[in-house]
Each structure stands twice: as structure tokens, then as C-alpha cells.
Amino acid sequence: MLMRTDPFRELDRLTQQFLGTPGTWSSPSAMPMDAYREGDVYVIALDLPGVAPEAIDIDVERNMLTVKAERRPTVKADDVQMELSERPLGVFSRQLMLADTLDTERITADYEAGVLTVRIPIAERAKPRKISIGGDAGRKQIDS
């Protein structure tokens, strides 16, 4: 039901991690995610620790879900000298192609403890349904 749209994203992520370069708006870093089905809903959980909720942008256009977030450096006083900086900063982004069987009109999102959880229900038209066969009017006659 979900498809990754950029096959080189993992290579870019490893390069940025190795070189230590932060993501930018034109070249964002990837954010780790899990995607799974829970009953009649697809759930996408994205790790965004330390990102303020107002710095997260979620868009869906046609069947493309885009999540962008930005983690900025914490404000420091002039007399603070950084000794170690390992937490990634910059822009993070993830794009997913959603199947036509998902209801993009009813997507919900929650952000708690640094995890953005996006829930996408399966469209009613895509759910299996039982077709009943009626009486004589519902039978199809086959000529031999």
C-alpha cells in the first residue's frame, strides 16, 4: 500500500551521516520510519526527536504524502562553548506514494515523545465485501 519514491534516499542518508552535513531545504536528510497495517488503518511512525510540533509540515497531494521537519540549534548564550555536538540538525523529509485504496481525505497525525504518527484509513471501496446472490432474478442462465 505504500511505496518509497526515491531509491537513492538511503545512499544520501548514509553520505550525510558519514560527512556530518545537515539537511537543507533543497537536500533534506531522511528521517527513520516504520510503516505497518493495524486493522483497517495504515500507520506510519516517524522519528523526529527534539523537533517542535510547529516545525513539522505534513502535506498530501494526489497520492503523495510528504512530511518535512526542521530541527534548529538550541539557543545558546554568548559565553557557551560547544564541547560535543552529535545530534543531527537541519531539514528532514520523507515522501511516500500512497495507494489508491487509502482514504487520503481522513488522514490524522499525532506527535508525542518525538514520534510523529500518521494514520491513513483504508478506503471503504477497497475493503472486501460479501456479494449475495438473489432469487430467480439474480440467477444467470447459461445456454448449452
Side-chain angles (χ1 to χ4, degrees):
M1 294 279 186
L2 302 172
M3 185 177 107
R4 295 175 103 166
T5 58
D6 186 357
F8 300 105
R9 173 75 63 169
E10 189 65 16
L11 183 60
D12 289 344
R13 184 189 67 77
L14 289 172
T15 303
Q16 285 177 342
Q17 184 178 7
F18 179 71
L19 297 175
T21 58
T24 63
W25 283 106
S26 60
S27 180
S29 299
M31 59 188 84
M33 74 168 219
D34 291 333
Y36 54 93
R37 183 173 174 170
E38 187 176 80
D40 287 341
V41 175
Y42 268 91
V43 180
I44 302 165
L46 300 128
D47 283 348
L48 293 170
V51 175
E54 54 274 1
I56 301 172
D57 185 37
I58 306 168
D59 278 327
V60 65
E61 184 177 337
R62 296 189 185 172
N63 286 9
M64 180 69 70
L65 176 73
T66 303
V67 178
K68 280 194 174 186
E70 183 175 13
R71 182 172 32 217
R72 297 181 177 144
T74 55
V75 180
K76 297 175 187 72
D78 291 338
D79 62 343
V80 173
Q81 180 179 343
M82 183 62 80
E83 295 291 330
L84 178 66
S85 179
E86 292 180 343
R87 297 173 56 219
L89 301 173
V91 179
F92 302 87
S93 178
R94 202 66 187 248
Q95 283 191 314
L96 298 168
M97 181 66 80
L98 304 178
D100 290 333
T101 56
L102 298 176
D103 188 351
T104 58
E105 298 295 320
R106 297 189 310 141
I107 295 175
T108 61
D110 297 305
Y111 185 62
E112 184 178 335
V115 178
L116 175 67
T117 304
V118 179
R119 296 180 182 280
I120 311 166
I122 295 175
E124 289 297 320
R125 69 181 182 279
K127 293 179 184 176
R129 60 187 195 281
K130 196 77 161 165
I131 308 297
S132 62
I133 300 174
D136 290 335
R139 289 198 184 118
K140 184 177 182 181
Q141 187 160 351
I142 300 174
D143 294 327
S144 316

